Amino acid sequence: MCTLPVLFLILAGTASIDATTYNVTTPTEWWQTAVIYEIWPESFKDSDGDGIGDLNGITSKLSHFVDMGVTCIWLAPIYESPFVDSGYDISDFYALHSTYGTLDDFTTLVKTAQELGLKVIIDFVPNHTSDEHEWFVKAKQGIEPYYSYYIWNEGIMYGDYRGLPSNWISGFTGSTWEWVDERNAYYLHQFSKHEVDLNWRNPDVMEQMKKVLTYWLDLGIDGFRVDAVPFFVESANFTNETLSGQDVPSDTYYYLNHTETKDQPESYPLVQEWKEHINNYTVSQGNDKVRVMCTEGYSAIDYVVKWYDYGSDVPFNFFFISDGQTSAVIDTATDIVDIITKWYNNMPSDQTANWVLGNHDRSRIATKVGLYRTDGIHFLILLMSGVPTLYFGDEIGMTDTFLTWAETTDVQACNTNETEYLSWTRDPERTPYQWDNTTAAGFSTNSTPFLKVNENYLTVNLAAEKEADFSHYKNFQKAIALRNTTVWREGTVDVELIEDDVIGMSRQLDGEDPIIVLVNWANTTVTVDLDSYFADLPDTMELVIADMYSGLNDNIGDTYNKSSMYIPAYGAMVLLGTSS
Ligand code: GLC
Ligand code: MG
């Protein structure tokens, strides 16, 4: 048992509970109890048969969220874009990508969603613009003020030979520096060369981007997911980065330690300024509408939780995925307990936790941990305190789709080669949503959508899962419903490693029936006495949810005795204490 959390809890005046029990600040704002669901607009629902998802498609499916209990949808970028990086390369912050629809379609989506009680947040991408953005087109011609919106450098002359300004490597492979003959200089890009980094040391850039925020706030949205926050500012003197020592090709991202291009102190106050801008907007409107700001950054824990201090309501917790330099290992129950306790031990105690299992950049959770373990890890993130951020399709157990090199479209993969692309491609997690067993899984009337549908759609689809007595979807619904309890909102969170292979989690509050989640991460059965792990449990508990493959489906509603709790191999159970 480590000493730090004990010390923390003593300071917090709660020394009577053990080191893995966390108090929860009672949520007061809508987003603190929200389940955020990421929609990948290209892949969610196509309304006009062109094989690409669109806004009207999303609007037609809003009841899905109400059915499921999701309360907030996040739309990945919907702006005008040449689509080199699936819309993260924005060429006009004030226009919609025409394939997705019109401004009217957008306002209809927001209005309809809000009438259904849903919140809508959108991506905000301030690190870069598309190279086709008017600002960059003018910058390339040397026209001010636009030239100074970007980061230029002439490189280092060694006699007649011109060297790069630094050894920095882009997240999408190759140098961060791209030469422009016309300007006799390089420009900086942390991602694709078609995504040109903005110069955040230039105050005009801040003024421009605040106008962008205001524009979308005027359209009634409920908040932003801010893209790529660790990458805003780079070291001003272009110092070379040191070698990481990882055994990877020398032109790929993980070859270097990103001490000069990531997590720079100057990036943090930018988020703070946007937060203040949003708050000022609310005041100027004379109402008290609360808007949320989430931030996306894969970094070491200290850098991530620091965003809380700079106005981020929800710094995404990616530690089930990666810390930015190495992929997370979630092979054992110990790994999972460690990830959870690391977050609780490091986040400010008066803030709201966040849990992410997957998104449009990373392999789907069902592929990563296997379908047997998918329900269990979802029960945990849905029932611990905080905001779970879900990726579209995970609620029905969608898995990654294999695509050949020829079928691959993602820039991050296409910048590599046929041998390497599978470690980089993000297409497998971006294939269309599987609504039913009809043409293109009900995603589109077009039988050849922009990315092919996963072959498993005949059985893995929402319609089938709604009909089945037991399904990933129904388990999702049931787990989300438990968030509407006082014990979920206010109860302590206790996370325990049980007999090596089981993750145990309790939510407890005086006078309320506790919620217990037990997730067996291994392929061996175990019978345990829960009293050895959790204090003050009632003697008996009712099984309310069990993972699809546990074999316990017929036992739902049964009473279990806490002193001999049988947990099947790979089984996951949610139990409610019975006060009687
Ligand atoms: C973020 C996005 C990713 C995108 C990158 C550049 O990491 O999630 O999809 O490629 O930023 O905008
Ligand atoms: Mg930058």
Side-chain angles (χ1 to χ4, degrees):
M1 207 170 275
C2 67
T3 51
L4 188 64
V6 176
L7 180 68
F8 164 76
L9 287 167
I10 290 169
L11 290 174
T14 48
S16 60
I17 47 181
D18 71 75
T20 52
T21 302
Y22 304 94
N23 287 321
V24 170
T25 308
T26 303
T28 51
E29 311 296 357
W30 67 263
W31 58 267
Q32 295 177 299
T33 54
V35 174
I36 301 181
Y37 182 105
E38 176 184 4
I39 293 181
W40 189 246
E42 223 179 354
S43 310
F44 196 63
K45 174 68 185 171
D46 172 23
S47 71
D48 59 7
D50 66 357
I52 303 171
D54 48 50
L55 298 176
N56 288 341
I58 297 169
T59 306
S60 74
K61 291 293 189 184
L62 289 172
S63 61
H64 174 50
F65 305 113
V66 180
D67 286 350
M68 197 178 9
V70 159
T71 48
C72 176
I73 54 174
W74 147 34
L75 305 178
I78 48 174
Y79 307 85
E80 189 67 86
S81 163
F83 251 65
V84 171
D85 185 14
S86 301
Y88 279 96
D89 49 321
I90 297 167
S91 53
D92 186 346
F93 292 106
Y94 297 98
L96 286 166
H97 185 48
S98 54
T99 317
Y100 285 166
T102 63
L103 203 58
D104 276 350
D105 298 335
F106 179 75
T107 47
T108 304
L109 190 168
V110 174
K111 198 165 157 274
T112 315
Q114 290 172 345
E115 279 165 8
L116 290 169
L118 302 168
K119 307 286 182 184
V120 181
I121 67 176
I122 63 167
D123 235 287
F124 175 55
V125 188
N127 181 63
H128 45 263
T129 71
S130 160
D131 59 348
E132 293 185 24
H133 193 290
E134 190 191 348
W135 298 342
F136 190 66
V137 172
K138 290 189 171 149
K140 260 169 96 169
Q141 296 164 24
I143 300 173
E144 289 289 13
Y146 307 105
Y147 181 80
S148 304
Y149 281 12
Y150 299 93
I151 299 162
W152 299 93
N153 190 281
E154 289 167 10
I156 304 168
M157 296 307 296
Y158 303 95
D160 284 345
Y161 172 76
R162 188 187 300 273
L164 294 166
S166 68
N167 70 345
W168 299 348
I169 295 173
S170 132
F172 290 173
T173 303
S175 173
T176 54
W177 297 104
E178 182 71 13
W179 180 252
V180 176
D181 270 343
E182 232 176 320
R183 296 271 58 78
N184 209 35
Y186 297 92
Y187 67 82
L188 178 85
H189 62 93
Q190 292 242 42
F191 297 94
S192 152
K193 66 180 178 189
H194 301 290
E195 296 171 297
V196 191
D197 270 54
L198 284 162
N199 175 11
W200 277 101
R201 292 197 177 89
N202 179 346
D204 292 351
V205 170
M206 178 53 93
E207 287 318 303
Q208 288 282 11
M209 293 310 272
K210 281 184 183 170
K211 285 189 204 154
V212 173
L213 290 174
T214 306
Y215 177 81
W216 293 96
L217 290 168
D218 279 342
L219 291 169
I221 56 146
D222 298 289
F224 298 95
R225 171 266 191 195
V226 188
D227 185 61
V229 293
F231 300 94
F232 294 150
V233 181
E234 298 77 22
S235 102
N237 44 10
F238 308 126
T239 311
N240 279 339
E241 291 182 329
T242 54
L243 306 193
S244 69
Q246 290 195 40
D247 182 19
V248 293
S250 61
D251 61 345
T252 56
Y253 190 67
Y254 300 106
Y255 189 69
L256 299 178
N257 294 315
H258 300 287
T259 50
E260 309 298 318
T261 52
K262 236 190 122 194
D263 308 315
Q264 303 296 297
E266 283 172 85
S267 293
Y268 288 86
L270 304 177
V271 166
Q272 179 86 58
E273 210 169 326
W274 298 323
K275 180 70 179 183
E276 281 161 19
H277 180 76
I278 294 168
N279 289 345
N280 292 342
Y281 177 86
T282 304
V283 171
S284 76
Q285 297 298 297
N287 61 36
D288 54 4
K289 178 168 167 154
V290 173
R291 297 180 178 84
V292 70
M293 192 159 75
C294 311
T295 45
E296 184 229 16
Y298 297 81
S299 298
I301 186 80
D302 291 349
Y303 291 119
V304 179
V305 295
K306 194 169 155 188
W307 292 107
Y308 279 119
D309 302 333
Y310 286 85
S312 174
D313 301 307
V314 182
F316 284 156
N317 169 1
F318 289 126
F319 292 98
F320 284 115
I321 301 176
S322 161
D323 64 4
Q325 193 69 0
T326 42
S327 294
V329 176
I330 47 173
D331 293 341
T332 65
T334 308
D335 295 334
I336 290 178
V337 169
D338 285 350
I339 289 169
I340 295 170
T341 49
K342 171 161 132 174
W343 187 266
Y344 277 125
N345 288 338
N346 283 284
M347 67 173 252
S349 56
D350 58 347
Q351 297 280 4
T352 304
N354 172 255
W355 313 101
V356 185
L357 298 175
N359 57 38
H360 62 278
D361 292 326
R362 305 290 167 152
S363 187
R364 284 187 178 275
I365 187 68
T367 297
K368 228 161 60 183
V369 302
L371 281 168
Y372 288 127
R373 302 195 282 197
T374 302
D375 283 357
I377 196 157
H378 276 132
F379 296 158
L380 286 170
I381 69 154
L382 291 169
L383 294 173
M384 287 187 290
S385 67
V387 178
T389 309
L390 310 175
Y391 185 50
F392 90 100
D394 281 354
E395 75 275 22
I396 53 170
M398 278 177 65
T399 49
D400 289 351
T401 305
F402 174 77
L403 295 147
T404 63
W405 171 243
E407 288 167 330
T408 295
T409 64
D410 175 22
V411 59
Q412 187 172 260
C414 295
N415 277 358
T416 66
N417 56 53
E418 191 164 359
T419 326
E420 307 280 333
Y421 85 99
L422 281 175
S423 0
W424 295 96
T425 181
R426 299 171 296 179
D427 291 332
E429 60 267 22
R430 296 178 178 181
T431 60
Y433 190 91
Q434 295 162 209
W435 295 101
D436 56 37
N437 63 5
T438 64
T439 304
F443 162 70
S444 173
T445 52
N446 190 320
S447 57
T448 50
F450 80 104
L451 277 182
K452 76 176 181 200
V453 171
N454 193 304
E455 282 167 9
N456 67 16
Y457 80 97
L458 289 174
T459 49
V460 179
N461 66 66
L462 180 66
E465 296 202 14
K466 277 183 158 176
E467 250 168 55
D469 289 337
F470 301 103
S471 62
H472 294 296
Y473 177 72
K474 289 210 165 146
N475 276 345
F476 241 85
Q477 259 183 329
K478 286 190 197 168
I480 292 181
L482 286 178
R483 295 167 61 88
N484 293 321
T485 53
T486 307
V487 73
W488 179 82
R489 271 194 304 279
E490 298 175 29
T492 53
V493 181
D494 185 1
V495 183
E496 297 286 339
L497 177 67
I498 300 180
E499 307 231 335
D500 296 338
D501 292 327
V502 176
I503 307 124
M505 197 278 295
S506 78
R507 302 300 310 275
Q508 286 175 269
L509 185 69
D510 276 352
E512 299 290 326
D513 295 335
I515 300 173
I516 307 288
V517 179
L518 301 171
V519 180
N520 187 347
W521 209 242
N523 192 13
T524 41
T525 59
V526 58
T527 302
V528 291
D529 177 358
L530 291 182
D531 258 345
S532 326
Y533 300 95
F534 302 104
D536 306 324
L537 286 185
D539 290 340
T540 56
M541 283 169 294
E542 181 191 332
L543 180 67
V544 288
I545 322 177
D547 85 273
M548 263 186 72
Y549 308 100
S550 60
L552 295 175
N553 294 336
D554 292 335
N555 303 52
I556 303 290
D558 286 2
T559 300
Y560 280 69
N561 190 313
K562 69 171 171 183
S563 60
S564 62
M565 183 66 66
Y566 167 78
I567 313 167
Y570 290 141
M573 307 158 79
V574 180
L575 301 116
L576 271 190
T578 42
S579 7
S580 51

